[in-house]
Amino acid sequence: MKKLILFIAFWILCCDATPLQPKTPVFGSFEIFRSLHQEPPPPEIPQGVTADAVGEYWVEQKLDHFDRKNNKTWFMRYLANNELFREGGPIFIYVGGEWEISPPWIQAGRFYDIAKEVGAFLVYTEHRYYGQSRPTEDTSVKNLKYLTVDQALADLAYFIDFLKANIPQLRKSKVILAGGSYAGTMAAWFRKEYPEKCAGAWASSAPVEAKADFFEYKEVVGQAFKQIGGEKCHLTLNEAFLGLETLVKKNDVSRIETDFRLCFPMDVTQKFDVYNFFSGLSNIMAAAVQNARPGTIKGVCDILTNPMHKDPIAALAYYVRSIYGSSCLSHSMDNDVAFYSESDWNAQANQAYRQWIYQTCNEFGWYQTSGSKKQPFGSSFPLEVYTELCERIYGKEFNKKSLLESVKDVNKNYKGVKASTKNVYYTNGELDPWMPMGILKDRSKHAPADVIPEAAHTMDLYSIALSDSPEMMMVKLRVRFLILEWLNGKSGEEEVEIFHQ
């Protein structure tokens, strides 16, 4: 019945509001989300690697690891590659995040290269509630309560025990974890929570500090456009967003509707729709930075600063339309709420979107707001737009107060950027907007950190390449030395001293 009501509401909204043809495809916050929360682009598989070396397997997990009275179980998916394994070799676990796992990450990449050298058994674990790892019959709010980082870390702990109990050759194997983005956070936190099960962890681009109002994200995005694209590029963005805000204040939005090809007319009295519009535009620009490859940011800036555009708004509109093509741009919060409220596993929202938003509402925050004046995207997407979304999708109990309490608890439990967990290597890219929530300086001799100049999100996870900067090359070499030290029962003290000389 709920689905029927949502469908009818959505149909009425479309038919009554949109001036476009019904068959026009819609580009909304969920499409933008996909570009910001996905498995890192797979590495190129080198010649000679057996195509079918990776097998798919399942392990039975407890639904609730912390409730002895709850006997419900489910099956977690994982991928394994034993092609490199040599007797006595370690277990290398590539940790999955808010995405569906795929074989290339245990067939190539820097972690694979090191695994090949040490004869490791390689596995890639899928996070509960993502991909094909579905613990409950749907993603209703009552079922999403089992989606927490504590439960996910307990899944990893049990998984390690399971491997060692069922594969005799692995019973004495040491374990190394690696992950990028949220998965890197999990790797670091697992090492803290279960040090007896893990000899070391590589946390690439890992946001370890939970924060509700993550305004620093857009600061880094803006700085990247200025640093790589130049002052004119940064100024164009700033003038475009300020110009759009002025049009909204004057209720002169016909140009916005036309230039950005909005799916529905903009009603400036609907503040959350306005917030949604500005948030979406800023996130389209953020995706170009977070996922940047050499030349990406400069290419965007070349478009924005091209003299063919009559003004900054036209330049911005030209670029963002190039992202969504023939689609129209939806700025409707009601549309987003209807989309993210679908709890059926077959709904598009459950490819990752509904689950990840739940995690941010329930534990982490990390809402990338316009709360700083040190960024070029205006001031029209405050924290309020995100906490409102939480309440509308999951219920009134998911409000700003509960979010702030949850963020405080997470940082208390895992220590945030103050963590000094032994045998964790933290790596971040200078251009990565997630960097401010990461550990950027050595916490101790046993917890080293590096920031890679002009590098974006998780770029160090790939194999060594001739195009690597000296700093990128150093990080890729350093993680090898650290892992070898961890496997040898040391803490990397000697290696850290070498790299700091």
Side-chain angles (χ1 to χ4, degrees):
M1 187 64 180
K2 181 181 178 183
K3 295 178 187 176
L4 178 60
I5 293 172
L6 288 173
F7 174 79
I8 292 172
F10 179 77
W11 183 84
I12 292 173
L13 179 63
C14 289
C15 292
D16 286 352
T18 179
L20 301 169
Q21 295 297 320
K23 292 185 179 180
T24 301
V26 175
F27 187 92
S29 67
F30 26 95
E31 282 81 13
I32 299 171
F33 177 99
R34 184 184 295 120
S35 66
L36 294 171
H37 296 280
Q38 59 183 340
E39 183 183 51
E44 184 177 348
I45 300 175
Q47 291 184 348
V49 174
T50 306
D52 59 354
V54 176
E56 178 185 77
Y57 305 93
W58 302 81
V59 55
E60 189 173 13
Q61 292 275 10
K62 290 191 65 176
L63 179 62
D64 189 336
H65 292 278
F66 309 107
D67 182 357
R68 294 182 179 181
K69 296 180 181 179
N70 190 335
N71 296 318
K72 293 183 179 179
T73 61
W74 62 284
F75 286 90
M76 185 185 87
R77 178 172 172 254
Y78 68 98
L79 305 176
N81 182 354
N82 65 359
E83 187 179 43
L84 307 178
F85 182 68
R86 297 194 299 269
E87 188 72 29
I91 301 168
F92 275 23
I93 299 178
Y94 192 71
V95 181
E98 70 274 27
W99 54 73
E100 182 170 359
I101 60 175
S102 63
W105 277 109
I106 52 173
Q107 294 177 292
R110 188 61 183 144
F111 201 46
Y112 172 90
D113 297 337
I114 302 169
K116 185 175 182 179
E117 182 178 350
V118 300
F121 184 88
L122 264 170
V123 292
Y124 190 0
T125 54
E126 193 163 72
H127 195 298
R128 56 169 56 202
Y129 287 88
Y130 293 101
Q132 299 175 43
S133 296
R134 302 174 175 182
T136 51
E137 61 183 2
D138 59 27
T139 59
S140 59
V141 176
K142 68 176 183 178
N143 283 331
L144 284 175
K145 70 179 182 179
Y146 303 107
L147 174 55
T148 67
V149 70
D150 290 344
Q151 296 284 5
L153 294 178
D155 288 340
L156 285 174
Y158 177 79
F159 175 70
I160 291 171
D161 292 342
F162 167 82
L163 281 183
K164 292 190 172 187
N166 288 275
I167 303 177
Q169 298 92 326
L170 300 179
R171 285 177 184 169
K172 296 183 179 181
S173 295
K174 291 187 176 181
V175 176
I176 302 293
L177 266 61
S181 195
Y182 166 57
T185 303
M186 287 182 61
W189 288 355
F190 184 87
R191 170 64 188 164
K192 175 187 177 298
E193 293 297 294
Y194 301 93
E196 74 285 358
K197 296 183 184 296
C198 172
W202 175 20
S204 172
S205 295
V208 296
E209 180 86 6
K211 188 176 185 185
D213 191 347
F214 181 16
F215 61 81
E216 296 92 342
Y217 183 98
K218 293 294 165 62
E219 289 182 342
V220 177
V221 174
Q223 179 58 35
F225 279 115
K226 180 184 290 187
Q227 179 178 331
I228 306 299
E231 288 281 354
K232 186 177 180 181
C233 183
H234 186 271
L235 182 62
T236 298
L237 281 170
N238 188 49
E239 291 180 346
F241 275 83
L242 292 179
L244 290 170
E245 289 182 334
T246 298
L247 291 176
V248 170
K249 289 176 183 178
K250 293 180 177 180
N251 196 14
D252 181 14
V253 294
S254 59
R255 182 183 179 187
I256 296 176
E257 294 169 355
T258 302
D259 284 13
F260 291 90
R261 203 184 303 124
L262 299 189
C263 299
F264 318 110
M266 177 176 281
D267 181 352
V268 298
T269 68
Q270 300 297 314
K271 68 176 182 178
F272 289 108
D273 288 353
V274 174
Y275 291 165
N276 230 18
F277 170 72
F278 283 102
S279 174
L281 291 189
S282 70
N283 284 335
I284 289 174
M285 304 312 301
V289 173
Q290 180 174 308
N291 303 320
R293 298 294 183 269
T296 299
I297 297 173
K298 186 178 184 304
V300 174
C301 286
D302 287 345
I303 294 173
L304 292 175
T305 59
N306 192 309
M308 73 174 184
H309 305 302
K310 67 178 181 179
D311 60 25
I313 292 177
L316 178 63
Y318 181 90
Y319 174 72
V320 299
R321 287 200 313 269
S322 74
I323 300 299
Y324 53 84
S326 61
S327 301
C328 63
L329 181 65
S330 173
H331 66 291
S332 167
M333 177 170 277
D334 285 342
N335 276 10
D336 289 350
V337 170
F339 180 86
Y340 295 126
S341 294
E342 278 286 354
S343 61
D344 189 292
W345 277 114
N346 294 320
Q348 187 183 12
N350 287 297
Q351 301 308 306
Y353 318 118
R354 176 172 167 81
Q355 300 94 302
W356 179 248
I357 293 176
Y358 176 84
Q359 286 194 266
T360 62
C361 294
N362 189 50
E363 294 186 288
F364 308 128
W366 290 330
Y367 294 123
Q368 299 144 18
T369 73
S370 57
S372 169
K373 294 182 180 180
K374 298 179 181 179
Q375 48 83 23
F377 305 108
S379 57
S380 296
F381 45 104
L383 178 62
E384 184 184 5
V385 67
Y386 304 103
T387 55
E388 177 75 11
L389 193 66
C390 291
E391 287 193 49
R392 290 200 198 179
I393 296 172
Y394 307 109
K396 293 294 185 180
E397 64 270 31
F398 294 90
N399 51 47
K400 182 178 179 181
K401 181 180 178 181
S402 68
L403 172 64
L404 294 176
E405 290 175 351
S406 297
V407 164
K408 183 178 179 180
D409 288 343
V410 168
N411 289 330
K412 180 180 179 181
N413 292 341
Y414 294 106
K415 308 304 181 185
V417 294
K418 296 180 180 179
S420 298
T421 307
K422 184 178 178 180
N423 290 12
V424 179
Y425 183 32
Y426 303 93
T427 59
N428 287 277
E430 179 191 23
L431 303 182
D432 182 7
W434 288 95
M435 176 192 63
M437 295 298 102
I439 290 177
L440 310 181
K441 296 181 180 179
D442 293 358
R443 292 293 301 153
S444 72
K445 289 183 177 181
H446 314 306
D450 280 303
V451 176
I452 309 163
E454 296 191 4
H457 198 57
T458 67
M459 286 301 297
D460 51 328
L461 292 177
Y462 298 87
S463 296
I464 290 173
L466 293 175
S467 59
D468 287 342
S469 67
E471 296 87 354
M472 177 68 81
M473 181 76 73
M474 186 276 288
V475 164
K476 291 180 179 180
L477 291 173
R478 189 178 192 188
V479 71
R480 170 188 175 272
F481 285 120
L482 284 168
I483 288 175
L484 292 179
E485 293 285 353
W486 298 337
L487 292 175
N488 288 330
K490 300 179 182 179
S491 301
E493 297 96 329
E494 300 88 346
E495 185 276 331
V496 171
E497 292 300 326
I498 291 171
F499 275 89
H500 277 198
Q501 288 178 358

